[in-house]
Amino acid sequence: MESLVRRLKSAWNHQEFRVYVIESSAVKRFLVVEFILGYLVYKMALYVCHNDLLAGATTWAGTEGVKRLPLLFRRIAGV
């Protein structure tokens, strides 16, 4: 227990200043995929199945599928 307390105290004593760089293109891509595409998929799923729960699950699956689509193309191409 004493070593845990020492470790936590030493972590607080470090005078580090961390800078995280986030590219604006990553933010734009996130906003487009999550909000715009998610909204469109939700509306289409709600129109088709008339069930909010199923439309929400479809929205999650649709946006995650779009995010993983480039990885699938790379695997198919063998790159």
Side-chain angles (χ1 to χ4, degrees):
M1 183 67 179
E2 188 174 321
S3 64
L4 176 65
V5 171
R6 283 186 194 155
R7 200 172 348 146
L8 289 175
K9 282 184 180 180
S10 68
W12 282 102
N13 289 336
H14 290 293
Q15 298 296 325
E16 291 183 359
F17 183 76
R18 294 184 182 190
V19 176
Y20 296 99
V21 179
I22 301 173
E23 297 175 351
S24 63
S25 62
V27 174
K28 288 180 204 173
R29 188 177 332 127
F30 174 78
L31 291 176
V32 167
V33 168
E34 291 296 326
F35 291 120
I36 297 172
L37 185 67
Y39 176 76
L40 292 175
V41 170
Y42 176 78
K43 283 298 187 180
M44 288 190 311
L46 188 62
Y47 180 75
V48 169
C49 62
H50 302 289
N51 185 342
D52 285 330
L53 187 62
L54 191 57
T58 304
T59 300
W60 172 79
T63 55
E64 289 298 317
V66 168
K67 285 188 231 176
R68 290 181 171 85
L69 204 57
L71 181 64
L72 180 66
F73 285 142
R74 284 188 204 127
R75 282 188 180 173
I76 291 172
V79 175

Coordinates of all heavy atoms in Angstrom, one line a residue:
M1 N 0.8 -1.2 0.0 CA 0.0 0.0 0.0 C 0.9 1.2 0.0 O 0.6 2.2 -0.6 CB -0.9 -0.1 1.2 CG -1.9 1.1 1.3 SD -3.0 1.0 0.0 CE -4.1 2.4 0.3
E2 N 2.0 1.2 0.8 CA 2.8 2.3 0.8 C 3.5 2.6 -0.5 O 3.7 3.8 -0.9 CB 3.9 2.1 1.9 CG 4.8 3.3 2.2 CD 5.7 3.0 3.4 OE1 5.3 2.3 4.3 OE2 6.9 3.5 3.3
S3 N 3.9 1.6 -1.3 CA 4.5 1.8 -2.6 C 3.4 2.5 -3.5 O 3.8 3.3 -4.4 CB 5.0 0.5 -3.1 OG 3.9 -0.4 -3.4
L4 N 2.2 2.1 -3.4 CA 1.2 2.7 -4.2 C 1.0 4.2 -3.9 O 0.9 5.0 -4.9 CB -0.2 2.0 -4.0 CG -1.4 2.6 -4.7 CD1 -1.2 2.4 -6.2 CD2 -2.7 1.9 -4.3
V5 N 1.1 4.5 -2.7 CA 1.0 5.9 -2.3 C 2.2 6.7 -2.8 O 2.0 7.8 -3.3 CB 0.8 6.1 -0.8 CG1 0.9 7.5 -0.3 CG2 -0.5 5.5 -0.3
R6 N 3.4 6.1 -2.7 CA 4.6 6.8 -3.2 C 4.5 7.0 -4.7 O 4.8 8.0 -5.3 CB 5.8 6.0 -2.9 CG 6.3 6.1 -1.5 CD 7.6 5.4 -1.3 NE 7.8 5.2 0.1 CZ 8.6 4.3 0.6 NH1 9.2 3.4 -0.2 NH2 8.8 4.3 1.9
R7 N 4.0 6.0 -5.4 CA 3.9 6.1 -6.9 C 2.9 7.2 -7.3 O 3.1 7.9 -8.2 CB 3.4 4.7 -7.4 CG 3.7 4.6 -8.9 CD 3.5 3.2 -9.5 NE 3.2 2.2 -8.4 CZ 2.4 1.2 -8.6 NH1 1.7 1.0 -9.7 NH2 2.3 0.3 -7.7
L8 N 1.8 7.3 -6.6 CA 0.8 8.3 -6.9 C 1.3 9.7 -6.6 O 1.1 10.6 -7.3 CB -0.5 8.0 -6.1 CG -1.3 6.8 -6.6 CD1 -2.5 6.6 -5.6 CD2 -1.8 7.0 -8.0
K9 N 2.0 9.8 -5.5 CA 2.6 11.1 -5.1 C 3.7 11.5 -6.2 O 3.7 12.7 -6.5 CB 3.2 11.1 -3.7 CG 2.2 11.2 -2.6 CD 2.9 11.2 -1.3 CE 1.9 11.3 -0.2 NZ 2.6 11.4 1.2
S10 N 4.4 10.6 -6.6 CA 5.5 10.9 -7.6 C 4.8 11.3 -9.0 O 5.3 12.1 -9.7 CB 6.5 9.8 -7.8 OG 5.8 8.7 -8.4
A11 N 3.7 10.7 -9.2 CA 3.0 11.1 -10.5 C 2.5 12.5 -10.4 O 2.5 13.2 -11.4 CB 1.8 10.1 -10.7
W12 N 2.1 13.0 -9.3 CA 1.6 14.3 -9.1 C 2.7 15.3 -9.1 O 2.5 16.5 -9.4 CB 0.8 14.5 -7.8 CG -0.6 13.9 -8.0 CD1 -1.0 12.7 -7.5 CD2 -1.7 14.5 -8.6 NE1 -2.3 12.6 -7.8 CE2 -2.8 13.6 -8.5 CE3 -1.9 15.7 -9.3 CZ2 -4.0 13.9 -9.1 CZ3 -3.1 16.0 -9.9 CH2 -4.2 15.1 -9.7
N13 N 3.9 14.9 -8.8 CA 5.1 15.8 -8.7 C 5.7 16.1 -10.1 O 6.5 17.1 -10.2 CB 6.2 15.3 -7.8 CG 5.7 15.3 -6.3 OD1 4.9 16.1 -6.0 ND2 6.3 14.5 -5.5
H14 N 5.4 15.4 -11.1 CA 6.0 15.6 -12.4 C 5.4 16.9 -13.0 O 4.2 17.1 -13.0 CB 5.7 14.5 -13.4 CG 6.5 13.2 -13.0 ND1 7.8 13.1 -13.1 CD2 6.1 12.0 -12.6 CE1 8.2 11.9 -12.8 NE2 7.2 11.2 -12.4
Q15 N 6.2 17.7 -13.5 CA 5.8 19.0 -14.1 C 5.8 18.8 -15.6 O 6.5 19.5 -16.3 CB 6.7 20.1 -13.7 CG 6.7 20.4 -12.2 CD 5.4 20.8 -11.6 OE1 4.6 21.6 -12.3 NE2 5.0 20.4 -10.4
E16 N 4.9 18.0 -16.1 CA 4.8 17.7 -17.5 C 3.7 18.6 -18.1 O 2.7 18.8 -17.5 CB 4.5 16.3 -17.8 CG 5.6 15.3 -17.5 CD 5.3 13.9 -17.9 OE1 4.1 13.7 -18.4 OE2 6.1 13.0 -17.7
F17 N 3.9 19.0 -19.3 CA 2.9 19.7 -20.1 C 2.7 19.0 -21.4 O 3.6 18.9 -22.2 CB 3.3 21.2 -20.3 CG 2.3 22.0 -21.0 CD1 1.2 22.5 -20.4 CD2 2.4 22.2 -22.4 CE1 0.3 23.2 -21.0 CE2 1.4 23.0 -23.0 CZ 0.4 23.4 -22.3
R18 N 1.6 18.3 -21.5 CA 1.3 17.5 -22.7 C 0.5 18.3 -23.7 O -0.5 19.0 -23.3 CB 0.6 16.2 -22.3 CG 1.4 15.3 -21.4 CD 0.7 14.0 -21.2 NE 1.5 13.2 -20.3 CZ 1.3 12.0 -20.0 NH1 0.2 11.4 -20.6 NH2 2.0 11.3 -19.2
V19 N 0.8 18.1 -24.9 CA 0.1 18.8 -26.0 C -0.4 17.6 -26.9 O 0.4 16.8 -27.4 CB 1.0 19.7 -26.8 CG1 0.2 20.3 -27.9 CG2 1.5 20.8 -25.9
Y20 N -1.7 17.6 -27.1 CA -2.3 16.6 -28.0 C -2.7 17.4 -29.3 O -3.4 18.4 -29.2 CB -3.5 16.0 -27.4 CG -3.1 15.1 -26.2 CD1 -3.3 15.6 -24.9 CD2 -2.6 13.9 -26.4 CE1 -3.0 14.9 -23.8 CE2 -2.3 13.1 -25.3 CZ -2.4 13.6 -24.0 OH -2.1 12.9 -22.9
V21 N -2.2 16.9 -30.4 CA -2.5 17.5 -31.7 C -3.6 16.7 -32.4 O -3.5 15.5 -32.6 CB -1.2 17.6 -32.6 CG1 -1.6 18.2 -33.9 CG2 -0.1 18.4 -31.9
I22 N -4.7 17.4 -32.7 CA -5.8 16.8 -33.4 C -5.9 17.5 -34.8 O -6.1 18.8 -34.8 CB -7.1 16.9 -32.6 CG1 -6.9 16.2 -31.3 CG2 -8.2 16.3 -33.4 CD1 -8.1 16.4 -30.3
E23 N -5.9 16.8 -35.8 CA -6.0 17.4 -37.1 C -7.4 17.8 -37.4 O -8.4 17.1 -37.0 CB -5.5 16.5 -38.2 CG -4.1 16.1 -38.1 CD -3.7 15.0 -39.1 OE1 -4.6 14.5 -39.8 OE2 -2.5 14.8 -39.2
S24 N -7.6 18.9 -38.1 CA -9.0 19.4 -38.4 C -9.7 18.4 -39.3 O -10.9 18.3 -39.3 CB -9.0 20.8 -39.0 OG -8.3 20.8 -40.2
S25 N -8.9 17.7 -40.2 CA -9.6 16.8 -41.1 C -10.2 15.6 -40.3 O -11.2 15.0 -40.7 CB -8.6 16.3 -42.1 OG -7.5 15.6 -41.5
A26 N -9.5 15.2 -39.2 CA -10.0 14.1 -38.4 C -11.3 14.5 -37.7 O -12.3 13.8 -37.6 CB -9.0 13.7 -37.4
V27 N -11.4 15.8 -37.3 CA -12.6 16.3 -36.6 C -13.7 16.4 -37.6 O -14.8 16.0 -37.3 CB -12.3 17.7 -36.0 CG1 -13.6 18.3 -35.4 CG2 -11.3 17.6 -34.9
K28 N -13.4 16.9 -38.8 CA -14.5 17.0 -39.9 C -15.0 15.6 -40.2 O -16.2 15.4 -40.4 CB -13.9 17.6 -41.1 CG -13.7 19.1 -41.0 CD -13.1 19.7 -42.2 CE -12.3 20.9 -42.0 NZ -11.6 21.4 -43.2
R29 N -14.0 14.6 -40.4 CA -14.4 13.3 -40.7 C -15.3 12.7 -39.7 O -16.3 12.0 -39.9 CB -13.2 12.4 -41.0 CG -13.5 11.1 -41.5 CD -12.3 10.2 -41.8 NE -11.1 11.0 -42.1 CZ -9.9 10.9 -41.5 NH1 -9.8 10.0 -40.5 NH2 -8.9 11.7 -41.8
F30 N -15.0 12.9 -38.4 CA -15.8 12.4 -37.3 C -17.2 13.0 -37.3 O -18.2 12.3 -37.2 CB -15.1 12.7 -36.0 CG -15.9 12.4 -34.8 CD1 -16.0 11.0 -34.3 CD2 -16.6 13.3 -34.1 CE1 -16.8 10.7 -33.3 CE2 -17.4 13.0 -33.0 CZ -17.5 11.7 -32.6
L31 N -17.3 14.3 -37.5 CA -18.6 15.0 -37.5 C -19.4 14.5 -38.7 O -20.6 14.3 -38.5 CB -18.4 16.5 -37.6 CG -17.8 17.1 -36.4 CD1 -17.6 18.6 -36.6 CD2 -18.7 16.9 -35.2
V32 N -18.8 14.3 -39.8 CA -19.6 13.9 -41.0 C -20.1 12.5 -40.8 O -21.3 12.2 -41.0 CB -18.8 14.0 -42.3 CG1 -19.4 13.2 -43.4 CG2 -18.6 15.4 -42.7
V33 N -19.2 11.6 -40.4 CA -19.6 10.2 -40.2 C -20.6 10.0 -39.1 O -21.7 9.4 -39.2 CB -18.4 9.3 -40.0 CG1 -18.8 7.9 -39.5 CG2 -17.6 9.2 -41.2
E34 N -20.3 10.6 -37.9 CA -21.2 10.3 -36.8 C -22.5 11.1 -36.8 O -23.5 10.5 -36.6 CB -20.4 10.7 -35.5 CG -19.3 9.8 -35.1 CD -19.7 8.4 -34.8 OE1 -20.8 8.2 -34.3 OE2 -18.9 7.5 -35.2
F35 N -22.5 12.3 -37.2 CA -23.7 13.1 -37.1 C -24.5 13.0 -38.4 O -25.7 12.7 -38.4 CB -23.4 14.6 -36.8 CG -22.9 14.8 -35.4 CD1 -21.7 15.3 -35.1 CD2 -23.7 14.4 -34.3 CE1 -21.2 15.5 -33.9 CE2 -23.3 14.6 -33.0 CZ -22.0 15.1 -32.8
I36 N -23.9 13.4 -39.5 CA -24.7 13.4 -40.8 C -25.0 12.1 -41.3 O -26.2 11.8 -41.5 CB -23.9 14.2 -41.8 CG1 -23.7 15.7 -41.3 CG2 -24.6 14.2 -43.1 CD1 -22.8 16.5 -42.2
L37 N -24.0 11.2 -41.4 CA -24.3 9.8 -41.9 C -25.2 9.1 -40.9 O -26.1 8.3 -41.3 CB -23.0 9.1 -42.2 CG -23.2 7.7 -42.8 CD1 -23.8 7.9 -44.2 CD2 -21.9 7.0 -42.8
G38 N -24.9 9.2 -39.6 CA -25.7 8.6 -38.6 C -27.2 9.0 -38.6 O -28.1 8.2 -38.4
Y39 N -27.4 10.3 -38.8 CA -28.8 10.8 -38.9 C -29.5 10.2 -40.1 O -30.6 9.8 -40.0 CB -28.7 12.3 -39.0 CG -30.1 12.9 -39.2 CD1 -31.0 13.0 -38.1 CD2 -30.5 13.4 -40.4 CE1 -32.2 13.6 -38.3 CE2 -31.7 14.0 -40.6 CZ -32.6 14.1 -39.5 OH -33.8 14.6 -39.7
L40 N -28.8 10.2 -41.2 CA -29.4 9.7 -42.5 C -29.7 8.2 -42.3 O -30.8 7.7 -42.7 CB -28.5 9.9 -43.7 CG -28.3 11.4 -44.1 CD1 -27.3 11.5 -45.2 CD2 -29.6 12.0 -44.5
V41 N -28.8 7.4 -41.8 CA -29.0 6.0 -41.6 C -30.2 5.8 -40.6 O -31.1 4.9 -40.8 CB -27.8 5.3 -41.1 CG1 -28.1 3.8 -40.7 CG2 -26.7 5.3 -42.2
Y42 N -30.3 6.6 -39.5 CA -31.3 6.5 -38.6 C -32.7 6.7 -39.2 O -33.6 6.0 -39.0 CB -31.1 7.4 -37.4 CG -32.2 7.4 -36.4 CD1 -32.3 6.4 -35.5 CD2 -33.2 8.4 -36.4 CE1 -33.4 6.4 -34.5 CE2 -34.2 8.4 -35.5 CZ -34.3 7.4 -34.6 OH -35.3 7.4 -33.7
K43 N -32.8 7.8 -40.0 CA -34.1 8.1 -40.6 C -34.5 7.0 -41.6 O -35.7 6.7 -41.7 CB -34.0 9.5 -41.3 CG -34.0 10.6 -40.4 CD -35.3 10.7 -39.7 CE -35.5 11.9 -38.9 NZ -36.8 11.9 -38.2
M44 N -33.5 6.5 -42.4 CA -33.9 5.4 -43.3 C -34.3 4.2 -42.6 O -35.3 3.5 -43.0 CB -32.7 5.1 -44.2 CG -32.4 6.2 -45.2 SD -31.2 5.8 -46.5 CE -29.9 5.1 -45.6
A45 N -33.6 3.8 -41.5 CA -34.0 2.6 -40.7 C -35.3 2.8 -40.0 O -36.1 1.9 -40.0 CB -32.9 2.3 -39.7
L46 N -35.6 4.0 -39.5 CA -36.8 4.3 -38.9 C -38.0 4.2 -39.9 O -39.1 3.7 -39.6 CB -36.8 5.6 -38.2 CG -38.0 6.0 -37.3 CD1 -38.1 5.0 -36.2 CD2 -37.9 7.4 -36.8
Y47 N -37.7 4.7 -41.1 CA -38.8 4.7 -42.1 C -39.1 3.2 -42.6 O -40.2 2.9 -42.8 CB -38.3 5.5 -43.4 CG -39.3 5.5 -44.5 CD1 -40.4 6.3 -44.4 CD2 -39.1 4.7 -45.6 CE1 -41.3 6.3 -45.5 CE2 -40.0 4.7 -46.7 CZ -41.1 5.5 -46.6 OH -42.0 5.5 -47.6
V48 N -38.0 2.4 -42.6 CA -38.2 1.0 -43.0 C -38.9 0.1 -42.0 O -39.8 -0.6 -42.2 CB -36.9 0.4 -43.5 CG1 -37.0 -1.1 -43.7 CG2 -36.4 1.1 -44.7
C49 N -38.4 0.2 -40.7 CA -38.8 -0.7 -39.7 C -39.8 -0.1 -38.7 O -40.3 -0.9 -37.9 CB -37.6 -1.4 -39.0 SG -36.6 -0.2 -38.1
H50 N -39.9 1.2 -38.6 CA -40.8 1.9 -37.7 C -40.6 1.4 -36.2 O -41.5 1.3 -35.4 CB -42.3 1.6 -38.0 CG -42.6 2.0 -39.4 ND1 -42.7 3.3 -39.7 CD2 -42.9 1.3 -40.5 CE1 -43.1 3.4 -41.0 NE2 -43.2 2.2 -41.5
N51 N -39.3 1.3 -35.9 CA -38.9 0.9 -34.5 C -37.7 1.7 -34.1 O -36.7 1.6 -34.7 CB -38.6 -0.6 -34.5 CG -38.4 -1.1 -33.1 OD1 -38.1 -0.4 -32.2 ND2 -38.5 -2.4 -32.9
D52 N -37.8 2.5 -33.0 CA -36.7 3.3 -32.6 C -35.5 2.5 -32.1 O -34.4 2.9 -32.4 CB -37.2 4.3 -31.5 CG -38.0 5.4 -32.0 OD1 -37.8 5.8 -33.1 OD2 -38.9 5.9 -31.2
L53 N -35.7 1.5 -31.4 CA -34.6 0.7 -30.9 C -33.8 0.0 -32.1 O -32.6 0.1 -32.1 CB -35.1 -0.4 -29.9 CG -34.1 -1.2 -29.2 CD1 -33.2 -0.3 -28.3 CD2 -34.7 -2.2 -28.4
L54 N -34.5 -0.5 -33.0 CA -33.9 -1.2 -34.1 C -33.2 -0.1 -35.0 O -32.1 -0.4 -35.6 CB -34.9 -2.0 -34.9 CG -34.4 -2.9 -36.0 CD1 -33.4 -3.9 -35.4 CD2 -35.5 -3.6 -36.7
A55 N -33.8 1.0 -35.2 CA -33.2 2.1 -35.9 C -31.9 2.6 -35.3 O -30.9 2.9 -36.0 CB -34.2 3.3 -36.1
G56 N -31.9 2.7 -34.0 CA -30.7 3.1 -33.2 C -29.6 2.1 -33.4 O -28.4 2.4 -33.6
A57 N -29.9 0.8 -33.3 CA -28.9 -0.2 -33.5 C -28.4 -0.2 -34.9 O -27.2 -0.4 -35.2 CB -29.5 -1.6 -33.2
T58 N -29.3 0.0 -35.9 CA -28.8 0.1 -37.3 C -27.9 1.3 -37.5 O -27.0 1.2 -38.2 CB -30.1 0.2 -38.2 OG1 -30.9 -0.9 -37.9 CG2 -29.7 0.2 -39.6
T59 N -28.2 2.4 -36.8 CA -27.3 3.6 -36.9 C -25.9 3.3 -36.4 O -25.0 3.6 -37.1 CB -27.9 4.7 -36.1 OG1 -29.2 5.0 -36.6 CG2 -27.1 6.0 -36.2
W60 N -25.9 2.6 -35.3 CA -24.6 2.2 -34.7 C -23.8 1.3 -35.7 O -22.6 1.5 -36.0 CB -24.7 1.6 -33.4 CG -23.4 1.0 -32.9 CD1 -22.4 1.7 -32.3 CD2 -23.0 -0.3 -32.9 NE1 -21.4 0.9 -32.0 CE2 -21.7 -0.4 -32.3 CE3 -23.6 -1.5 -33.4 CZ2 -21.0 -1.6 -32.3 CZ3 -22.9 -2.7 -33.3 CH2 -21.6 -2.7 -32.7
A61 N -24.5 0.3 -36.2 CA -23.9 -0.7 -37.1 C -23.5 0.0 -38.4 O -22.4 -0.3 -38.9 CB -24.8 -1.8 -37.3
G62 N -24.3 0.9 -38.9 CA -24.0 1.5 -40.1 C -22.8 2.4 -40.1 O -21.9 2.4 -40.9
T63 N -22.7 3.3 -39.0 CA -21.5 4.2 -38.9 C -20.3 3.4 -38.6 O -19.2 3.7 -39.1 CB -21.8 5.2 -37.8 OG1 -22.1 4.6 -36.6 CG2 -22.9 6.2 -38.2
E64 N -20.3 2.3 -37.8 CA -19.1 1.5 -37.5 C -18.7 0.8 -38.8 O -17.5 0.7 -39.0 CB -19.4 0.5 -36.4 CG -19.5 1.1 -35.0 CD -18.3 1.8 -34.6 OE1 -17.2 1.3 -34.8 OE2 -18.4 2.9 -34.0
G65 N -19.7 0.4 -39.6 CA -19.3 -0.3 -40.8 C -18.6 0.7 -41.8 O -17.6 0.3 -42.5
V66 N -19.1 1.9 -41.9 CA -18.5 2.9 -42.7 C -17.0 3.2 -42.3 O -16.1 3.4 -43.1 CB -19.3 4.2 -42.8 CG1 -18.6 5.3 -43.5 CG2 -20.6 3.9 -43.6
K67 N -16.8 3.3 -40.9 CA -15.5 3.5 -40.4 C -14.5 2.4 -40.7 O -13.4 2.6 -40.9 CB -15.6 3.7 -38.9 CG -16.1 5.0 -38.5 CD -16.0 5.2 -37.0 CE -17.3 5.5 -36.3 NZ -17.2 5.6 -34.9
R68 N -15.0 1.2 -40.8 CA -14.2 0.0 -41.0 C -14.1 -0.4 -42.5 O -13.4 -1.3 -42.8 CB -14.6 -1.1 -40.2 CG -14.4 -0.9 -38.7 CD -14.8 -2.1 -37.9 NE -14.4 -2.0 -36.5 CZ -15.0 -1.3 -35.6 NH1 -16.2 -0.7 -35.9 NH2 -14.6 -1.3 -34.3
L69 N -14.8 0.3 -43.3 CA -14.8 0.0 -44.8 C -13.4 0.1 -45.4 O -13.1 -0.8 -46.2 CB -15.8 0.9 -45.5 CG -16.4 0.4 -46.8 CD1 -17.1 -1.0 -46.6 CD2 -17.4 1.4 -47.3
P70 N -12.6 1.1 -45.2 CA -11.3 1.2 -45.8 C -10.4 0.0 -45.4 O -9.6 -0.5 -46.2 CB -10.7 2.5 -45.3 CG -11.9 3.3 -45.0 CD -12.9 2.4 -44.5
L71 N -10.5 -0.5 -44.1 CA -9.7 -1.6 -43.7 C -10.1 -2.9 -44.5 O -9.3 -3.7 -44.8 CB -10.0 -1.8 -42.2 CG -9.2 -3.0 -41.6 CD1 -7.7 -2.8 -41.6 CD2 -9.6 -3.1 -40.1
L72 N -11.4 -3.0 -44.7 CA -11.9 -4.2 -45.5 C -11.4 -4.1 -46.9 O -10.9 -5.2 -47.4 CB -13.4 -4.2 -45.5 CG -14.1 -5.3 -46.3 CD1 -13.8 -6.7 -45.6 CD2 -15.6 -5.1 -46.4
F73 N -11.3 -3.0 -47.5 CA -10.8 -2.8 -48.9 C -9.3 -3.2 -48.9 O -8.8 -3.8 -49.9 CB -11.1 -1.5 -49.5 CG -12.5 -1.2 -49.9 CD1 -13.1 0.0 -49.7 CD2 -13.2 -2.2 -50.5 CE1 -14.4 0.3 -50.0 CE2 -14.5 -2.0 -50.8 CZ -15.1 -0.7 -50.6
R74 N -8.6 -2.8 -47.9 CA -7.1 -3.1 -47.8 C -6.9 -4.6 -47.7 O -6.0 -5.1 -48.3 CB -6.5 -2.3 -46.7 CG -6.3 -0.9 -46.9 CD -5.5 -0.2 -45.8 NE -5.8 1.2 -45.8 CZ -6.1 1.9 -44.8 NH1 -6.3 1.3 -43.6 NH2 -6.4 3.1 -44.9
R75 N -7.8 -5.2 -46.9 CA -7.6 -6.7 -46.7 C -7.9 -7.4 -48.0 O -7.3 -8.4 -48.3 CB -8.5 -7.2 -45.6 CG -8.0 -6.9 -44.3 CD -8.8 -7.6 -43.2 NE -8.3 -7.3 -41.9 CZ -8.9 -7.7 -40.8 NH1 -10.0 -8.3 -40.8 NH2 -8.3 -7.4 -39.6
I76 N -8.9 -7.0 -48.7 CA -9.3 -7.6 -50.0 C -8.2 -7.4 -51.0 O -7.8 -8.3 -51.7 CB -10.6 -7.1 -50.5 CG1 -11.8 -7.5 -49.6 CG2 -10.9 -7.5 -51.9 CD1 -13.1 -6.9 -49.9
A77 N -7.6 -6.2 -51.1 CA -6.6 -5.9 -52.0 C -5.3 -6.5 -51.6 O -4.4 -6.7 -52.5 CB -6.4 -4.4 -52.2
G78 N -5.1 -6.9 -50.4 CA -3.9 -7.6 -49.9 C -2.7 -6.6 -49.7 O -1.6 -7.0 -49.7
V79 N -3.1 -5.4 -49.3 CA -2.1 -4.4 -49.0 C -1.7 -4.4 -47.6 O -2.5 -4.5 -46.7 CB -2.5 -3.0 -49.5 CG1 -1.5 -1.9 -49.1 CG2 -2.8 -3.0 -51.0

